[in-house]
Coordinates of all heavy atoms in Angstrom, one line a residue:
F225 N -13.9 4.8 7.8 CA -13.5 4.5 6.5 C -14.7 4.1 5.6 O -15.6 3.4 6.2 CB -12.5 3.4 6.5 CG -11.1 3.8 7.0 CD1 -10.7 3.1 8.2 CD2 -10.4 4.7 6.5 CE1 -9.4 3.4 8.7 CE2 -9.1 5.0 7.0 CZ -8.6 4.4 8.1
P226 N -14.7 4.4 4.3 CA -15.8 3.8 3.5 C -15.7 2.3 3.4 O -14.6 1.7 3.7 CB -15.5 4.5 2.1 CG -14.2 5.2 2.2 CD -13.7 5.2 3.6
E227 N -16.7 1.7 3.0 CA -16.8 0.2 3.0 C -15.7 -0.3 2.0 O -15.2 -1.4 2.2 CB -18.2 -0.2 2.6 CG -19.2 -0.1 3.7 CD -20.5 -0.6 3.3 OE1 -20.6 -1.6 2.5 OE2 -21.5 -0.2 3.9
D228 N -15.4 0.4 0.9 CA -14.5 -0.1 -0.1 C -13.1 0.4 0.1 O -12.3 0.4 -0.9 CB -15.0 0.2 -1.5 CG -15.1 1.7 -1.8 OD1 -15.0 2.5 -0.8 OD2 -15.2 2.1 -2.9
W229 N -12.7 0.7 1.3 CA -11.4 1.3 1.6 C -10.3 0.3 1.1 O -9.2 0.8 0.6 CB -11.2 1.7 3.0 CG -11.1 0.6 4.0 CD1 -12.1 0.0 4.7 CD2 -9.9 0.0 4.5 NE1 -11.6 -1.0 5.5 CE2 -10.3 -1.0 5.4 CE3 -8.6 0.1 4.2 CZ2 -9.4 -1.8 6.1 CZ3 -7.6 -0.6 4.9 CH2 -8.0 -1.6 5.8
E230 N -10.4 -1.0 1.3 CA -9.4 -1.9 0.9 C -9.2 -1.9 -0.6 O -8.0 -1.8 -1.1 CB -9.7 -3.3 1.4 CG -9.7 -3.5 2.9 CD -10.2 -4.8 3.3 OE1 -9.5 -5.8 3.1 OE2 -11.4 -4.9 3.8
E231 N -10.3 -1.9 -1.3 CA -10.2 -1.9 -2.8 C -9.6 -0.6 -3.3 O -8.8 -0.5 -4.2 CB -11.6 -2.1 -3.4 CG -12.1 -3.5 -3.1 CD -13.6 -3.5 -3.1 OE1 -14.3 -2.5 -3.6 OE2 -14.2 -4.5 -2.6
R232 N -9.9 0.5 -2.6 CA -9.4 1.8 -3.0 C -7.9 1.9 -2.8 O -7.2 2.5 -3.6 CB -10.1 2.9 -2.2 CG -11.5 3.2 -2.6 CD -12.0 4.4 -1.8 NE -13.4 4.7 -2.1 CZ -14.0 5.8 -1.8 NH1 -13.3 6.7 -1.1 NH2 -15.2 6.0 -2.1
M233 N -7.5 1.4 -1.6 CA -6.0 1.4 -1.3 C -5.2 0.7 -2.4 O -4.2 1.1 -2.8 CB -5.8 0.8 0.1 CG -6.1 1.8 1.2 SD -5.7 1.1 2.8 CE -3.9 1.2 2.8
V234 N -5.7 -0.5 -2.8 CA -5.0 -1.3 -3.7 C -5.0 -0.6 -5.1 O -4.0 -0.5 -5.8 CB -5.6 -2.7 -3.8 CG1 -5.1 -3.5 -5.0 CG2 -5.4 -3.5 -2.5
R235 N -6.2 -0.1 -5.5 CA -6.3 0.6 -6.8 C -5.3 1.9 -6.8 O -4.6 2.1 -7.7 CB -7.7 1.0 -7.0 CG -7.9 1.7 -8.4 CD -9.4 2.2 -8.5 NE -9.7 3.2 -7.5 CZ -10.7 3.2 -6.7 NH1 -11.6 2.2 -6.8 NH2 -11.0 4.2 -5.9
D236 N -5.4 2.6 -5.7 CA -4.6 3.8 -5.6 C -3.1 3.5 -5.5 O -2.2 4.3 -6.1 CB -5.0 4.7 -4.4 CG -6.4 5.3 -4.6 OD1 -6.9 5.2 -5.7 OD2 -6.9 5.8 -3.5
A237 N -2.7 2.4 -4.9 CA -1.3 2.0 -4.8 C -0.8 1.7 -6.2 O 0.4 2.1 -6.6 CB -1.1 0.8 -3.9
E238 N -1.5 1.0 -7.0 CA -1.1 0.6 -8.4 C -1.0 1.9 -9.2 O -0.1 2.1 -10.0 CB -2.1 -0.4 -9.0 CG -1.6 -0.8 -10.4 CD -2.5 -1.9 -11.0 OE1 -3.3 -2.5 -10.2 OE2 -2.3 -2.2 -12.2
L239 N -2.0 2.8 -9.1 CA -2.0 4.0 -9.9 C -0.8 4.9 -9.5 O -0.2 5.5 -10.4 CB -3.3 4.8 -9.6 CG -3.4 6.2 -10.3 CD1 -3.3 6.1 -11.8 CD2 -4.8 6.8 -9.9
A240 N -0.5 5.0 -8.2 CA 0.6 5.8 -7.8 C 1.9 5.3 -8.4 O 2.7 6.1 -8.8 CB 0.7 5.8 -6.2
A241 N 2.1 4.0 -8.4 CA 3.3 3.4 -9.0 C 3.3 3.7 -10.5 O 4.4 4.1 -11.1 CB 3.4 1.9 -8.8
R242 N 2.2 3.6 -11.2 CA 2.1 3.9 -12.7 C 2.5 5.3 -12.9 O 3.2 5.6 -13.9 CB 0.7 3.6 -13.2 CG 0.4 2.1 -13.4 CD -0.9 1.9 -14.0 NE -1.4 0.5 -13.8 CZ -1.0 -0.5 -14.6 NH1 -0.1 -0.3 -15.5 NH2 -1.5 -1.7 -14.3
L243 N 1.9 6.2 -12.1 CA 2.2 7.6 -12.3 C 3.7 7.9 -12.1 O 4.3 8.8 -12.8 CB 1.3 8.5 -11.4 CG -0.2 8.5 -11.8 CD1 -1.0 9.2 -10.7 CD2 -0.4 9.1 -13.1
A244 N 4.3 7.3 -11.1 CA 5.7 7.5 -10.8 C 6.6 7.0 -12.0 O 7.6 7.6 -12.4 CB 6.1 6.8 -9.5
V245 N 6.2 5.9 -12.5 CA 6.9 5.3 -13.7 C 6.8 6.3 -14.9 O 7.8 6.6 -15.6 CB 6.4 3.9 -14.1 CG1 6.9 3.5 -15.4 CG2 6.7 2.9 -13.0
Q246 N 5.6 6.8 -15.1 CA 5.4 7.8 -16.2 C 6.2 9.0 -16.0 O 6.9 9.6 -16.9 CB 3.9 8.2 -16.3 CG 3.0 7.2 -16.9 CD 1.6 7.6 -16.9 OE1 1.2 8.8 -16.6 NE2 0.7 6.7 -17.4
A247 N 6.3 9.5 -14.7 CA 7.1 10.7 -14.4 C 8.6 10.4 -14.7 O 9.3 11.2 -15.3 CB 6.9 11.1 -13.0
R248 N 9.0 9.2 -14.4 CA 10.4 8.8 -14.6 C 10.7 8.8 -16.1 O 11.7 9.3 -16.6 CB 10.7 7.4 -14.0 CG 12.1 6.9 -14.4 CD 12.4 5.6 -13.8 NE 11.4 4.6 -14.3 CZ 11.3 3.4 -13.7 NH1 12.0 3.0 -12.7 NH2 10.4 2.5 -14.2
E249 N 9.8 8.2 -16.9 CA 9.9 8.1 -18.3 C 10.0 9.5 -19.0 O 10.8 9.8 -19.8 CB 8.8 7.3 -19.0 CG 8.9 5.8 -18.6 CD 7.7 5.0 -19.0 OE1 6.6 5.6 -19.4 OE2 7.7 3.8 -18.8
H250 N 9.1 10.4 -18.5 CA 9.0 11.8 -19.0 C 10.3 12.6 -18.7 O 10.7 13.5 -19.4 CB 7.8 12.5 -18.6 CG 6.5 12.0 -19.3 ND1 6.3 12.2 -20.6 CD2 5.5 11.3 -18.8 CE1 5.1 11.6 -20.9 NE2 4.6 11.1 -19.8
S251 N 10.9 12.2 -17.5 CA 12.1 13.0 -17.1 C 13.3 12.7 -17.9 O 14.2 13.5 -18.0 CB 12.4 12.7 -15.6 OG 13.0 11.4 -15.5
G252 N 13.3 11.5 -18.5 CA 14.5 11.1 -19.3 C 15.6 10.6 -18.4 O 16.7 10.2 -19.0
A253 N 15.4 10.5 -17.1 CA 16.5 10.0 -16.2 C 16.3 8.5 -16.0 O 15.5 8.0 -15.2 CB 16.4 10.7 -14.9
A254 N 17.1 7.7 -16.8 CA 17.0 6.3 -16.7 C 17.5 5.7 -15.4 O 17.1 4.6 -15.1 CB 17.8 5.7 -17.9
N255 N 18.3 6.4 -14.6 CA 18.8 5.9 -13.4 C 17.9 6.1 -12.2 O 18.3 5.8 -11.1 CB 20.2 6.4 -13.1 CG 20.2 7.9 -12.9 OD1 19.2 8.6 -13.4 ND2 21.2 8.5 -12.3
V256 N 16.7 6.6 -12.4 CA 15.8 6.8 -11.3 C 15.0 5.6 -11.0 O 14.5 4.9 -11.9 CB 14.8 8.0 -11.6 CG1 13.7 8.1 -10.6 CG2 15.6 9.3 -11.8
R257 N 14.9 5.2 -9.8 CA 14.1 4.0 -9.4 C 12.8 4.5 -8.7 O 12.7 5.5 -8.0 CB 14.9 3.2 -8.4 CG 16.2 2.6 -8.9 CD 15.9 1.6 -10.0 NE 17.2 1.2 -10.5 CZ 17.6 1.4 -11.8 NH1 16.8 2.0 -12.6 NH2 18.7 1.0 -12.2
V258 N 11.7 3.7 -9.0 CA 10.4 3.9 -8.3 C 10.3 3.0 -7.1 O 10.4 1.8 -7.3 CB 9.3 3.6 -9.3 CG1 7.9 3.7 -8.6 CG2 9.3 4.6 -10.5
L259 N 10.2 3.6 -6.0 CA 10.2 2.9 -4.7 C 8.8 3.0 -4.1 O 8.2 4.0 -4.0 CB 11.2 3.5 -3.7 CG 12.6 3.5 -4.2 CD1 13.5 4.1 -3.1 CD2 13.1 2.1 -4.5
G260 N 8.2 1.8 -3.8 CA 6.9 1.7 -3.2 C 7.0 1.8 -1.7 O 8.1 1.5 -1.1
C261 N 6.0 2.2 -1.0 CA 6.0 2.4 0.4 C 4.7 1.8 0.9 O 3.6 2.2 0.5 CB 6.1 3.8 0.8 SG 6.1 4.1 2.6
L262 N 4.7 0.9 1.9 CA 3.5 0.3 2.5 C 2.9 1.2 3.6 O 3.6 1.6 4.5 CB 3.8 -1.0 3.1 CG 4.3 -2.1 2.1 CD1 4.7 -3.4 2.8 CD2 3.1 -2.4 1.1
P263 N 1.7 1.7 3.4 CA 1.1 2.6 4.3 C 0.6 1.9 5.5 O 0.4 0.7 5.6 CB -0.1 3.2 3.5 CG -0.5 2.0 2.6 CD 0.8 1.3 2.3
P264 N 0.2 2.7 6.6 CA -0.4 2.0 7.7 C -1.8 1.5 7.3 O -2.5 2.1 6.5 CB -0.6 3.2 8.7 CG -0.3 4.4 8.0 CD 0.4 4.1 6.7
L265 N -2.2 0.4 7.9 CA -3.5 -0.1 7.6 C -4.6 0.5 8.6 O -5.8 0.3 8.3 CB -3.5 -1.6 7.8 CG -2.7 -2.4 6.8 CD1 -2.7 -3.9 7.1 CD2 -3.1 -2.1 5.4
C266 N -4.1 1.1 9.6 CA -5.1 1.8 10.5 C -4.6 3.2 10.7 O -3.8 3.7 9.9 CB -5.1 1.1 11.9 SG -3.6 1.0 12.8
E267 N -5.0 3.9 11.7 CA -4.7 5.3 11.9 C -3.2 5.6 11.8 O -2.8 6.7 11.4 CB -5.2 5.8 13.2 CG -6.7 5.8 13.4 CD -7.2 4.4 14.0 OE1 -6.3 3.6 14.3 OE2 -8.4 4.3 14.1
S268 N -2.4 4.7 12.2 CA -1.0 5.0 12.4 C -0.1 3.8 12.5 O -0.7 2.7 12.8 CB -0.8 5.8 13.7 OG 0.5 6.0 14.1
H269 N 1.2 3.9 12.3 CA 2.1 2.8 12.6 C 2.5 2.8 14.1 O 3.3 2.0 14.5 CB 3.4 3.0 11.8 CG 3.2 2.5 10.4 ND1 2.8 1.2 10.1 CD2 3.5 3.1 9.2 CE1 2.8 1.1 8.7 NE2 3.2 2.2 8.2
R270 N 1.9 3.7 14.9 CA 2.2 3.8 16.3 C 1.9 2.4 16.9 O 0.8 1.8 16.7 CB 1.3 4.8 17.0 CG 1.9 6.2 17.1 CD 1.0 7.1 17.9 NE 0.3 6.6 19.0 CZ -0.7 7.2 19.5 NH1 -1.1 8.4 19.1 NH2 -1.4 6.6 20.5
P271 N 2.8 1.8 17.6 CA 2.6 0.5 18.2 C 1.4 0.3 19.0 O 0.7 -0.8 18.8 CB 3.9 0.2 19.1 CG 4.9 1.2 18.5 CD 4.2 2.4 18.0
D272 N 1.0 1.2 19.8 CA -0.2 1.0 20.6 C -1.5 1.0 19.7 O -2.4 0.2 19.9 CB -0.4 2.1 21.7 CG -0.4 3.5 21.1 OD1 0.3 3.8 20.1 OD2 -1.1 4.4 21.7
L273 N -1.6 1.8 18.7 CA -2.7 1.8 17.8 C -2.7 0.6 16.9 O -3.7 -0.1 16.7 CB -2.8 3.1 17.0 CG -3.0 4.4 17.8 CD1 -3.0 5.6 16.8 CD2 -4.3 4.3 18.5
F274 N -1.5 0.2 16.4 CA -1.5 -0.9 15.5 C -1.7 -2.2 16.2 O -2.4 -3.1 15.7 CB -0.1 -1.0 14.7 CG -0.1 -2.1 13.7 CD1 -0.8 -2.0 12.5 CD2 0.5 -3.3 14.0 CE1 -0.8 -3.0 11.6 CE2 0.5 -4.3 13.1 CZ -0.2 -4.2 11.9
T275 N -1.3 -2.3 17.4 CA -1.5 -3.5 18.2 C -3.0 -3.8 18.4 O -3.4 -4.9 18.2 CB -0.8 -3.5 19.6 OG1 0.6 -3.3 19.3 CG2 -1.1 -4.7 20.4
K276 N -3.7 -2.8 18.7 CA -5.2 -2.9 18.8 C -5.8 -3.4 17.5 O -6.7 -4.2 17.5 CB -5.8 -1.6 19.3 CG -5.5 -1.3 20.7 CD -6.2 0.1 21.1 CE -5.8 0.5 22.5 NZ -6.3 1.8 22.8
F277 N -5.4 -2.7 16.4 CA -5.9 -3.1 15.1 C -5.6 -4.5 14.7 O -6.4 -5.3 14.3 CB -5.3 -2.1 14.0 CG -5.8 -2.4 12.7 CD1 -7.1 -1.9 12.2 CD2 -5.0 -3.1 11.8 CE1 -7.5 -2.1 11.0 CE2 -5.5 -3.3 10.5 CZ -6.7 -2.8 10.1
F278 N -4.3 -4.9 15.0 CA -3.9 -6.2 14.7 C -4.6 -7.3 15.5 O -5.0 -8.3 14.9 CB -2.4 -6.4 15.0 CG -1.7 -7.6 14.6 CD1 -1.3 -7.9 13.3 CD2 -1.5 -8.7 15.5 CE1 -0.7 -9.0 12.9 CE2 -0.9 -9.9 15.1 CZ -0.6 -10.1 13.8
E279 N -4.9 -7.0 16.7 CA -5.7 -7.9 17.6 C -7.1 -8.0 17.1 O -7.7 -9.1 17.2 CB -5.6 -7.5 19.0 CG -4.2 -7.7 19.7 CD -4.1 -7.0 21.0 OE1 -5.0 -6.3 21.5 OE2 -3.1 -7.3 21.7
S280 N -7.7 -6.9 16.6 CA -9.1 -7.0 16.2 C -9.2 -7.6 14.8 O -10.2 -8.3 14.5 CB -9.7 -5.6 16.3 OG -9.2 -4.8 15.3
E281 N -8.3 -7.3 13.9 CA -8.4 -7.8 12.5 C -7.7 -9.1 12.3 O -8.1 -9.9 11.4 CB -7.9 -6.7 11.5 CG -8.7 -5.4 11.6 CD -10.1 -5.6 11.2 OE1 -10.4 -6.5 10.3 OE2 -11.0 -4.9 11.7
G282 N -6.6 -9.4 13.0 CA -5.9 -10.6 12.8 C -4.7 -10.6 11.9 O -4.7 -9.7 11.0
E283 N -3.8 -11.5 12.1 CA -2.6 -11.6 11.3 C -2.9 -11.8 9.8 O -2.3 -11.2 8.9 CB -1.7 -12.6 11.8 CG -0.4 -12.8 11.0 CD 0.6 -13.8 11.6 OE1 0.3 -14.4 12.7 OE2 1.6 -14.1 11.0
E284 N -3.9 -12.8 9.5 CA -4.2 -13.1 8.2 C -4.7 -11.9 7.4 O -4.3 -11.7 6.2 CB -5.3 -14.2 8.2 CG -5.6 -14.7 6.8 CD -6.5 -15.9 6.8 OE1 -6.6 -16.6 7.8 OE2 -7.3 -16.0 5.8
F285 N -5.5 -11.1 8.0 CA -6.0 -9.9 7.3 C -4.9 -8.9 7.0 O -4.7 -8.4 5.9 CB -7.0 -9.2 8.2 CG -7.4 -7.8 7.6 CD1 -8.3 -7.7 6.6 CD2 -6.8 -6.7 8.1 CE1 -8.7 -6.5 6.0 CE2 -7.1 -5.4 7.6 CZ -8.1 -5.3 6.5
C286 N -4.0 -8.7 8.0 CA -2.9 -7.7 7.8 C -1.9 -8.2 6.8 O -1.5 -7.4 5.9 CB -2.2 -7.5 9.2 SG -3.2 -6.6 10.4
V287 N -1.5 -9.4 6.8 CA -0.6 -10.0 5.8 C -1.2 -9.9 4.4 O -0.6 -9.5 3.5 CB -0.2 -11.4 6.2 CG1 0.6 -12.0 5.0 CG2 0.7 -11.4 7.4
G288 N -2.5 -10.3 4.3 CA -3.2 -10.2 3.1 C -3.3 -8.8 2.5 O -3.1 -8.6 1.3
A289 N -3.6 -7.9 3.4 CA -3.7 -6.5 2.9 C -2.4 -5.9 2.4 O -2.3 -5.3 1.4 CB -4.3 -5.6 4.0
Y290 N -1.3 -6.2 3.2 CA 0.0 -5.7 2.7 C 0.5 -6.5 1.5 O 1.1 -5.9 0.6 CB 1.0 -5.9 3.9 CG 1.0 -4.8 4.8 CD1 0.9 -5.0 6.2 CD2 1.0 -3.5 4.4 CE1 0.9 -4.0 7.1 CE2 1.0 -2.4 5.3 CZ 0.9 -2.7 6.7 OH 0.9 -1.6 7.6
R291 N 0.1 -7.7 1.3 CA 0.5 -8.5 0.1 C -0.3 -7.9 -1.1 O 0.3 -7.7 -2.2 CB 0.1 -10.0 0.3 CG 0.5 -10.8 -1.0 CD 0.3 -12.2 -0.8 NE 1.4 -12.7 0.1 CZ 1.2 -13.4 1.2 NH1 0.0 -13.7 1.6 NH2 2.2 -13.8 2.0
A292 N -1.5 -7.6 -0.9 CA -2.3 -7.0 -2.0 C -1.7 -5.6 -2.4 O -1.6 -5.3 -3.6 CB -3.8 -6.8 -1.6
L293 N -1.3 -4.8 -1.4 CA -0.7 -3.5 -1.7 C 0.6 -3.7 -2.4 O 0.9 -3.0 -3.4 CB -0.6 -2.7 -0.4 CG -1.8 -2.1 0.2 CD1 -1.6 -1.7 1.6 CD2 -2.4 -1.0 -0.7
A294 N 1.4 -4.6 -2.0 CA 2.7 -4.8 -2.6 C 2.6 -5.3 -4.0 O 3.2 -4.8 -5.0 CB 3.6 -5.8 -1.8
D295 N 1.7 -6.2 -4.2 CA 1.4 -6.7 -5.6 C 0.9 -5.6 -6.5 O 1.3 -5.5 -7.7 CB 0.4 -7.9 -5.6 CG 0.9 -9.2 -5.0 OD1 2.1 -9.3 -4.9 OD2 0.1 -10.0 -4.6
A296 N 0.1 -4.8 -6.0 CA -0.5 -3.7 -6.8 C 0.7 -2.7 -7.2 O 0.7 -2.3 -8.4 CB -1.5 -2.9 -6.0
M297 N 1.6 -2.4 -6.3 CA 2.7 -1.5 -6.6 C 3.6 -2.2 -7.6 O 4.1 -1.5 -8.6 CB 3.4 -1.1 -5.4 CG 2.7 -0.1 -4.5 SD 3.6 0.5 -3.1 CE 2.9 -0.5 -1.8
L298 N 3.8 -3.4 -7.5 CA 4.6 -4.1 -8.5 C 4.0 -4.1 -9.9 O 4.6 -3.9 -10.9 CB 4.9 -5.6 -8.0 CG 5.9 -5.7 -6.8 CD1 6.0 -7.1 -6.4 CD2 7.3 -5.1 -7.2
R299 N 2.7 -4.4 -9.9 CA 1.9 -4.3 -11.2 C 2.0 -2.9 -11.8 O 2.1 -2.8 -13.0 CB 0.4 -4.6 -11.0 CG 0.1 -6.1 -10.9 CD -1.4 -6.4 -11.0 NE -2.2 -5.5 -10.1 CZ -2.5 -5.8 -8.9 NH1 -2.0 -6.9 -8.3 NH2 -3.3 -5.0 -8.2
G300 N 2.1 -1.9 -11.0 CA 2.2 -0.5 -11.4 C 3.6 -0.2 -11.9 O 3.8 0.9 -12.5
G301 N 4.6 -1.0 -11.6 CA 5.9 -0.7 -12.0 C 6.9 -0.4 -11.0 O 8.1 0.0 -11.3
A302 N 6.6 -0.4 -9.7 CA 7.6 -0.1 -8.7 C 8.8 -1.0 -8.8 O 8.6 -2.2 -9.1 CB 6.9 -0.2 -7.3
D303 N 9.9 -0.5 -8.6 CA 11.2 -1.3 -8.7 C 11.5 -2.0 -7.4 O 12.2 -3.0 -7.4 CB 12.3 -0.4 -9.1 CG 12.1 0.2 -10.5 OD1 11.8 -0.5 -11.4 OD2 12.2 1.5 -10.6
A304 N 11.1 -1.4 -6.3 CA 11.5 -1.9 -4.9 C 10.6 -1.3 -3.9 O 9.8 -0.4 -4.2 CB 12.9 -1.7 -4.6
F305 N 10.7 -1.7 -2.6 CA 10.0 -1.2 -1.5 C 11.0 -0.6 -0.5 O 12.0 -1.1 -0.3 CB 9.1 -2.2 -0.8 CG 8.1 -2.8 -1.8 CD1 8.3 -4.0 -2.4 CD2 6.9 -2.1 -2.0 CE1 7.3 -4.5 -3.3 CE2 6.0 -2.6 -2.9 CZ 6.2 -3.8 -3.5

């Protein structure tokens, strides 16, 4: 991964939510909800791969990264996760 991968993920998560909100607005469908999705922080959500990542990076890092992503999606306009 590039050195700034965390910053990119947060920036891209906010942008994705903003674009989804714009698409909803352009569609004219007021009953459409924008749902955010938390991506894997490592190669996969596979338990064996994530366990190794979690052990190496720690709980504080993982919680902080997911919190930053969730906050970014909310700033971008996501209605829920």
Side-chain angles (χ1 to χ4, degrees):
F225 291 118
E227 288 184 25
D228 64 342
W229 70 272
E230 294 171 73
E231 294 152 15
R232 286 183 184 195
M233 283 183 72
V234 170
R235 183 184 64 232
D236 291 349
E238 184 172 349
L239 176 60
R242 286 185 197 279
L243 292 171
V245 168
Q246 286 179 4
R248 175 181 58 196
E249 291 168 356
H250 289 292
S251 77
N255 63 338
V256 172
R257 301 290 176 247
V258 173
L259 303 178
C261 178
L262 295 173
L265 295 178
C266 62
E267 296 90 0
S268 171
H269 280 305
R270 272 183 31 198
D272 58 326
L273 295 177
F274 185 76
T275 298
K276 289 178 186 176
F277 180 81
F278 187 82
E279 289 171 351
S280 69
E281 297 298 328
E283 180 178 355
E284 186 175 330
F285 172 81
C286 293
V287 170
Y290 278 128
R291 181 172 288 125
L293 288 166
D295 288 345
M297 285 184 261
L298 290 174
R299 280 193 309 274
D303 297 308
F305 298 98

